[in-house]
Structures are given as C-alpha cells and as structure tokens.
C-alpha cells in the first residue's frame, strides 16, 4: 500500500529530527504529501468554566501561537514542508489535535515519537503515541526517541 499523505506530529520543545527524518523518508518512498503539526497545549483546560480569559491571556496566547508557528515553519522548511502544510493547533490534549487534523487533511499515516516510558513516569506522563492510537482511522508509525 502506498501512503498518500503523511502527517508528522512534532513537539517543538524537543529535538524533532528523528520524527521528521522518518516522516520525510516515508513521504519520499511513497511519493506522498507531508504535513506537520504541533499542538500547543491549552493549560487552562483543568480550570474549566471557572477560567475567564482576559486581555493578558489573549495576548500571551496569540504570542505563543505565533512563536510556535514560526518555530514549526523553520524546522519543517529543512524537510521541504512549507507554510500551508505546517499546522499549529490549540487543544487541551495534543493527541486529540493530531487525530482531528489527520482526519481533516485525510492523512493515511501519522508519524509520532515515543519515549518508551515505564513505571511511574508512564503512569504520570502517559504517551502521545498511545493517545493518538485511540480510535484512529489510519496507520500510525511510532519512532523511538532515545
Ligand atoms: P510524549 O509521549 O508526550 O513524550 O511525546 C512523544 C512524541 O509525541 C513527540 O516526539 C512527538 O512526535 C509527539 N508530540 C508530543 N507532544 C506533541 C505536541 N504538543 N504536538 C505534536 N506532537 C507532539
């Protein structure tokens, strides 16, 4: 089976080379389109309705979104992925944002890193890769981050 659209899930706060290299290689091998996503996490989510966004919050958020997009564009450009295929979303849980975008752009392969956490770290931090797998309708390639 040939993949038509590869989506790389990139955490701009870590070195994303392993994930981007693998995604770019899969896209190359399959002659497919390559898109990237970074999900900026909505840290207000746990406060629910008790959090009312004010002007400072809106300014911080738009600054954060702008910087994230600039950083993602910069990282992705090295792999030939340009503006329109670089997506920054704002979500309470990154795996949800990745799944939503995969559905929207009809990606048939998601490439995501995994740290292979164990024990307490696994319980506390979970894993983006396993969140992405929940109810996903396409293939997922998990790349071991060392
Ligand atoms: P984690 O399991 O949360 O440590 O994350 C491992 C991998 O999940 C990273 O290498 C990325 O591929 C992906 N990932 C983590 N956080 C994000 C994020 N905020 N946006 C997009 N992808 C992410």
């Amino acid at each position: 089976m040939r993949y038509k659209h590869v989506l790389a899930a990139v955490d701009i706060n870590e070195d994303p080379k392993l994930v981007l290299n693998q995604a770019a290689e899969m896209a190359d091998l399959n002659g497919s389109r390559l898109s990237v996503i970074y999900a900026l996490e909505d840290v207000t989510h746990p406060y629910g309705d008790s959090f009312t966004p004010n002007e400072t919050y809106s300014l911080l958020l738009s600054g954060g979104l702008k910087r994230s997009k600039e950083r993602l564009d910069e990282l992705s450009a090295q792999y030939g992925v340009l503006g329109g295929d670089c997506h920054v979303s704002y979500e309470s849980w990154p795996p949800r944002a990745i799944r939503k975008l995969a559905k929207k752009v009809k990606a048939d392969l998601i490439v995501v890193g995994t740290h292979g956490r164990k024990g307490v770290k696994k319980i506390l931090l979970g894993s983006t890769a396993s969140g992405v797998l929940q109810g996903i309708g396409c293939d997922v390639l998990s790349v071991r981050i060392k």
Side-chain angles (χ1 to χ4, degrees):
M1 169 185 157
R2 278 195 172 268
Y3 293 111
K4 295 192 182 78
H5 195 164
V6 177
L7 175 64
V10 169
D11 183 355
I12 60 170
N13 304 300
E14 69 177 18
D15 181 355
K17 271 197 209 91
L18 286 172
V19 170
L20 279 170
N21 281 345
Q22 195 62 38
E25 201 164 320
M26 290 303 289
D28 247 18
L29 284 171
N30 289 275
S32 46
R33 183 171 171 186
L34 175 59
S35 294
V36 295
I37 177 172
Y38 167 66
L40 182 65
E41 208 166 329
D42 175 6
V43 288
T44 68
H45 178 68
Y47 303 102
D49 290 343
S50 61
F51 178 81
T52 313
N54 58 15
E55 203 177 322
T56 313
Y57 170 78
S58 303
L59 279 173
L60 284 172
L61 176 59
S62 59
L65 287 169
K66 185 170 175 283
R67 280 192 300 280
S68 300
K69 178 74 167 86
E70 284 166 0
R71 180 70 184 133
L72 190 66
D73 282 354
E74 186 186 326
L75 291 164
S76 310
Q78 299 167 33
Y79 296 84
V81 183
L82 301 175
D85 286 330
C86 298
H87 304 264
V88 172
S89 64
Y90 184 61
E91 262 285 352
S92 54
W93 193 45
R96 187 176 301 119
I98 297 164
R99 290 199 311 246
K100 268 191 196 166
L101 183 72
K103 199 169 171 193
K104 189 173 162 202
V105 301
K106 298 190 174 63
D108 46 8
L109 177 69
I110 299 173
V111 180
V112 59
T114 178
H115 290 103
R117 294 188 189 99
K118 291 188 182 123
V120 177
K121 273 192 182 171
K122 184 177 172 188
I123 294 165
L124 290 177
L125 299 172
S127 122
T128 303
S130 49
V132 167
L133 280 172
Q134 286 173 26
I136 193 70
C138 69
D139 289 359
V140 176
L141 171 62
S142 112
V143 178
R144 182 68 194 262
I145 310 276
K146 298 195 181 78

